[in-house]
Amino acid sequence: SAVISQKPSRDICQRGTSLTIQCQVDSQVTMMFWYRQQPGQSLTLIATANQGSEATYESGFVIDKFPISRPNLTFSTLTVSNMSPEDSSIYLCSDSGTGFMNTEAFFGQGTRLTVV
Amino acid sequence: GEDVEQSLFLSVREGDSSVINCTYTDSSSTYLYWYKQEPGAGLQLLTYIFSNMDMKQDQRLTVLLNKKDKHLSLRIADTQTGDSAIYFCAEKAGGFKTIFGAGTRLFVKA
């Protein structure tokens, strides 16, 4: 199974600032995903991080607000830009597995973001 | 479209079996998952089942899949207080995206 590490694990940020979250996988994976989990809610997919090309965003999420990088097959970053209290959530990174069939989807421990 | 639904709460007594149910809409789903989330923690993959199977057992966990009705269940035998958590049903549908249900909060009473 893949091990996914996220940094930071939590942060408290001032509104109007930006935070970059890092996600490191211990093996090469085809796809990486970023999710948001708002307080008491389920997980919502923000975008698919594609290696070597622009991320693919889900409806309601835009690149200006959530720029994503994927410089190689083991690493990705998500930036939450110009933060407001509504951005307070847990942000989770996930991978699609290491094989073509991609049977499993593992998650990092998440980054708990509080915007004040 | 893709949608996954589950009941929000379940309360059981310690030692009893817990059954958490889930329905999904995408008939092209290839894999269906159960994740556990404890307070303040990330998601732990408990088990998954391929869409051409109807049952999978792993120690105290039994997953049943009724593909015709698009119904998935997770049975936890001999439920313990440490099983108290939120359980998410999820499907991998139409590609590599994983779509999650709202989560079922399991309360285990001692």
Side-chain angles (χ1 to χ4, degrees):
Chain A
S1 62
V3 175
I4 303 178
S5 304
Q6 270 185 248
K7 290 195 295 188
S9 58
R10 59 178 62 229
D11 208 342
I12 301 173
C13 300
Q14 296 290 324
R15 68 177 68 200
T17 63
S18 298
L19 175 72
T20 296
I21 303 168
Q22 298 180 3
C23 179
Q24 179 77 52
V25 188
D26 67 347
S27 53
Q28 292 186 340
V29 294
T30 309
M31 289 183 173
M32 295 175 74
F33 305 92
W34 288 98
Y35 288 82
R36 180 175 73 182
Q37 186 180 25
Q38 294 177 298
Q41 303 293 315
S42 184
L43 281 75
T44 301
L45 181 64
I46 297 172
T48 303
N50 304 306
Q51 196 268 328
S53 63
E54 200 169 275
T56 306
Y57 289 84
E58 298 298 305
S59 175
F61 297 96
V62 295
I63 188 171
D64 289 346
K65 177 67 176 177
F66 297 102
I68 286 170
S69 79
R70 177 92 192 271
N72 56 51
L73 292 175
T74 63
F75 186 78
S76 178
T77 67
L78 169 76
T79 299
V80 186
S81 303
N82 188 24
M83 288 183 284
S84 66
E86 292 71 36
D87 294 319
S88 298
S89 294
I90 300 173
Y91 292 86
L92 296 112
C93 169
S94 169
D95 79 71
S96 62
T98 56
F100 177 75
M101 290 303 291
N102 296 316
T103 57
E104 296 168 328
F106 295 98
F107 284 80
Q109 283 299 99
T111 296
R112 187 179 293 270
L113 171 62
T114 303
V115 184
V116 297
Chain B
E2 305 150 340
D3 194 21
V4 177
E5 294 191 357
Q6 30 181 152
S7 53
L8 295 182
F9 298 99
L10 176 65
S11 180
V12 300
R13 291 193 181 278
E14 191 174 23
D16 289 349
S17 292
S18 308
V19 180
I20 304 172
N21 294 301
C22 169
T23 58
Y24 60 97
T25 57
D26 193 334
S27 57
S28 68
S29 294
T30 52
Y31 296 97
L32 295 128
Y33 304 87
W34 285 104
Y35 288 87
K36 177 183 180 183
Q37 187 178 39
E38 296 183 75
L43 267 71
Q44 174 193 355
L45 177 62
L46 284 179
T47 187
Y48 66 92
I49 189 167
F50 188 46
S51 59
N52 70 353
M53 299 168 64
D54 51 22
M55 185 179 108
K56 182 177 181 181
Q57 187 150 2
D58 184 1
Q59 299 183 329
R60 292 192 298 125
L61 305 178
T62 303
V63 178
L64 295 178
L65 174 60
N66 182 327
K67 196 172 180 183
K68 173 176 168 289
D69 294 338
K70 299 192 187 71
H71 182 267
L72 183 74
S73 68
L74 174 70
R75 178 176 181 271
I76 305 172
D78 187 25
T79 312
Q80 302 297 306
T81 55
D83 294 323
S84 293
I86 302 175
Y87 290 82
F88 290 97
C89 171
E91 62 169 348
K92 186 171 285 186
F96 299 105
K97 290 193 302 186
T98 305
I99 308 298
F100 286 82
T104 299
R105 188 177 294 272
L106 175 64
F107 297 95
V108 182
K109 295 176 284 189

